[in-house]
Amino acid sequence: MKTTISQVAKHVGEEVTIGAWLANKRSSGKIAFLQLRDGTGFIQGVVVKAEVEEAVFQAAKNITQETSLYVTGTVAEDTRSPFGYELQVKGLEVIHESTDFPITPKEHGTEFLMDHRHLWLRSKKQHAVMKIRNEIIRSTYQFFNDHDYVKIDPPILTGSSAEGTTELFHTKYFDEEAYLSQSGQLYMEAAAMAFGKVFSFGPTFRAEKSKTRRHLIEFWMIEPEMAFVEHEESLEIQEQYVSFIAQSVLENCKLELDILERDTDKLAKIQAPFPRITYDEAIDLLKEKGFDDIEWGEDFGAPHETAIAESFDKPVFITHYPAEIKAFYMKPDPNRPDVVLCADLIAPEGYGEVIGGSQRIDDLALMEQRYQEHNLTGDAYQWYLELRKYGSVPHSGFGLGLERTVAWFAGVEHVRETIPFPRLLNRLYP
Ligand code: 4AD
Ligand code: MG
């Protein structure tokens, strides 16, 4: 019977056939151990010379890394294996022989691996990272569906910028100028007025000349937007959501976390509520920690965020940033209009800002004033103003960066390993 490695538990004692690739192998004169992978998992195939036809044993001994094959054998429980099962091989049929696979079990440099990303994805560690990414996506849909959100897909080609003009990718749209989406937020606000609670999940483009462990040119963002939800309520939704996806990864990716040697005690601590500090308090904290130069009104960089995060053992919200360093749409604090009702969620262990969010301006006159201050002229923005004209309501939303979240949960240093084909400052290939 044909099956996959993920299904072998249902076939203990039975003979099965699996389509697989050879990841690695060890052999002696009498026995060969084949590390097999089929995408759904890894399993060891054991070929005993005395128990198979000579041709099968010779094939097993000569088989090369990444050769594709059909393996037939009996499934047995194996408590020593991290996967719990092994295959007692009876027959092998080579589908396609692979010669000189470039990524051997020895160490390779990152640039070499990145140049071979199309093949590197097959490795055990990269496989584990992508499975964790998949679990975050799966549990994201579960969380928002369970809470009555509607998934809405904003456009990727846009006529206006959402987060400022310096980081836009320009493209021709027939005779007009268009941009690749920096954020679906403005459209999600329109959707929230139609559906109440909405979320999006899609690619985002930032022409940022940043070459750091946290920056991609193309990344994926989850953007919920909620009508009748104010700043504080939005923070509660955010901490519930992040706790839910963290616990889902802990529960459903045990093997992957083990392969990545992730300290799971750190993930177990990601449980709501999360601490909150204001921007003002963060400035004081930074001064205490020796950042003497930081002035009120400056934005935080990676070293600041890391220093702040070190004071907490959970992710921390930094709220109420100065209006002048945040986006035009954020609602000023009614008690103190020089700061806005916003929060960045900073992950521990140096992973940095994983969420940016805010309550949005819902007053037409104030939004028109912001338009003037930010020079947002032209037709491209008029529709967004109309959301404040016809039954405007308080509303809030946020964006979670998927790759930074994967890096954090998987314990991977750099975001380039958290997306299948990263787009970086110096890399558009493969
Ligand atoms: O803080 P940002 O720019 O917020 C927005 O775009 C809002 N419009 C979201 C909203 O309220 N709907 O981006 C949100 C998150 C960041 O916290 C970060 O996790 C991620 O997106 N992010 C990046 N991830 C990888 N590479 C980059 N260059 C990123 N820029 C932002
Ligand atoms: Mg931000």
Side-chain angles (χ1 to χ4, degrees), residues 287-302:
K287 286 204 192 291
E288 272 169 41
K289 289 187 162 244
F291 289 87
D292 302 320
D293 299 344
I294 188 100
E295 300 268 5
W296 197 94
E298 280 175 37
D299 208 354
F300 298 143

Side-chain angles (χ1 to χ4, degrees), residues 163 182-183 185 206 208 214-217 219 221 223-225 329 344 353-358 360 397-401 403-404:
E163 290 293 315
Q182 289 175 311
S183 159
Q185 181 196 318
R206 304 266 169 109
E208 270 181 282
R214 301 166 176 185
H215 284 91
L216 291 163
I217 304 301
F219 66 97
M221 190 153 54
E223 293 189 277
E225 192 71 33
Y329 51 71
D344 284 355
E353 180 201 321
V354 287
I355 291 183
S358 64
R360 323 305 192 186
F398 61 95
L400 173 129
E403 289 75 17
R404 290 190 191 174

Side-chain angles (χ1 to χ4, degrees), residues 325-336:
I325 54 169
K326 287 290 183 189
F328 71 91
Y329 51 71
M330 293 189 183
K331 185 179 169 100
D333 183 342
N335 303 317
R336 205 187 136 189

Side-chain angles (χ1 to χ4, degrees), residues 54-243:
E54 185 56 24
V56 171
F57 190 70
Q58 284 312 318
K61 273 197 80 165
N62 294 331
I63 195 167
T64 48
Q65 190 189 353
E66 288 305 314
T67 286
S68 51
L69 65 162
Y70 284 118
V71 209
T72 300
T74 308
V75 179
E77 267 181 273
D78 176 16
T79 48
R80 290 157 308 171
S81 149
F83 312 108
Y85 302 91
E86 67 171 27
L87 197 65
Q88 294 163 346
V89 177
K90 304 261 164 61
L92 322 163
E93 180 195 329
V94 169
I95 303 169
H96 181 253
E97 198 178 307
S98 156
T99 40
D100 301 328
F101 188 69
I103 305 174
T104 56
K106 68 163 201 201
E107 288 268 317
H108 296 281
T110 305
E111 281 307 302
F112 177 86
L113 291 168
M114 275 294 161
D115 286 342
H116 294 86
R117 184 65 175 165
H118 50 296
L119 303 176
W120 189 25
L121 278 176
R122 303 179 185 194
S123 82
K124 206 174 261 183
K125 191 177 155 196
Q126 297 306 311
H127 189 268
V129 175
M130 289 308 138
K131 290 292 285 279
I132 289 173
R133 179 183 172 105
N134 182 62
E135 178 59 20
I136 296 173
I137 296 168
R138 191 205 62 75
S139 55
T140 290
Y141 276 80
Q142 185 183 344
F143 180 86
F144 290 112
N145 282 317
D146 286 353
H147 291 84
D148 292 336
Y149 286 64
V150 179
K151 166 101 188 325
I152 293 285
D153 305 313
I156 309 252
L157 285 166
T158 64
S160 60
S161 91
E163 290 293 315
T165 48
T166 51
E167 302 169 352
L168 281 173
F169 270 106
H170 295 241
T171 181
K172 276 241 102 46
Y173 192 78
F174 306 107
D175 294 333
E176 284 178 74
E177 173 119 54
Y179 315 101
L180 298 184
S181 175
Q182 289 175 311
S183 159
Q185 181 196 318
L186 307 190
Y187 302 96
M188 297 308 285
E189 288 184 54
M193 301 306 135
F195 299 92
K197 295 192 288 185
V198 292
F199 76 106
S200 68
F201 171 53
T204 306
F205 306 87
R206 304 266 169 109
E208 270 181 282
K209 294 251 156 73
S210 309
K211 214 174 158 182
T212 78
R213 55 178 282 215
R214 301 166 176 185
H215 284 91
L216 291 163
I217 304 301
E218 177 179 310
F219 66 97
W220 286 63
M221 190 153 54
I222 290 132
E223 293 189 277
E225 192 71 33
M226 300 82 66
F228 309 105
V229 165
E230 312 237 8
H231 172 64
E232 281 297 330
E233 298 168 289
S234 175
L235 298 190
E236 285 165 23
I237 294 165
Q238 292 172 46
E239 63 195 0
Q240 293 297 336
Y241 165 51
V242 171
S243 304

Side-chain angles (χ1 to χ4, degrees), residues 379-399:
D379 297 341
Y381 289 94
Q382 288 312 307
W383 66 266
Y384 183 69
L385 274 186
E386 288 190 6
L387 304 176
R388 278 78 187 158
K389 214 168 145 188
Y390 304 109
S392 191
V393 298
H395 63 289
S396 304
F398 61 95

Side-chain angles (χ1 to χ4, degrees), residues 251-320:
E251 187 61 31
N252 300 322
C253 297
K254 292 196 171 80
L255 189 60
E256 288 78 12
L257 293 168
D258 192 46
I259 287 168
L260 295 165
E261 296 174 33
R262 181 66 169 112
D263 179 352
T264 50
D265 290 347
K266 295 226 164 76
L267 296 186
K269 289 205 183 105
I270 309 174
Q271 300 264 17
F274 300 159
R276 294 138 164 75
I277 60 168
T278 62
Y279 173 89
D280 291 4
E281 288 164 344
I283 291 277
D284 290 344
L285 184 62
L286 286 170
K287 286 204 192 291
E288 272 169 41
K289 289 187 162 244
F291 289 87
D292 302 320
D293 299 344
I294 188 100
E295 300 268 5
W296 197 94
E298 280 175 37
D299 208 354
F300 298 143
H304 303 119
E305 287 176 0
T306 303
I308 293 164
E310 272 167 7
S311 301
F312 303 91
D313 66 349
K314 284 185 183 189
V316 53
F317 286 114
I318 306 178
T319 68
H320 300 85

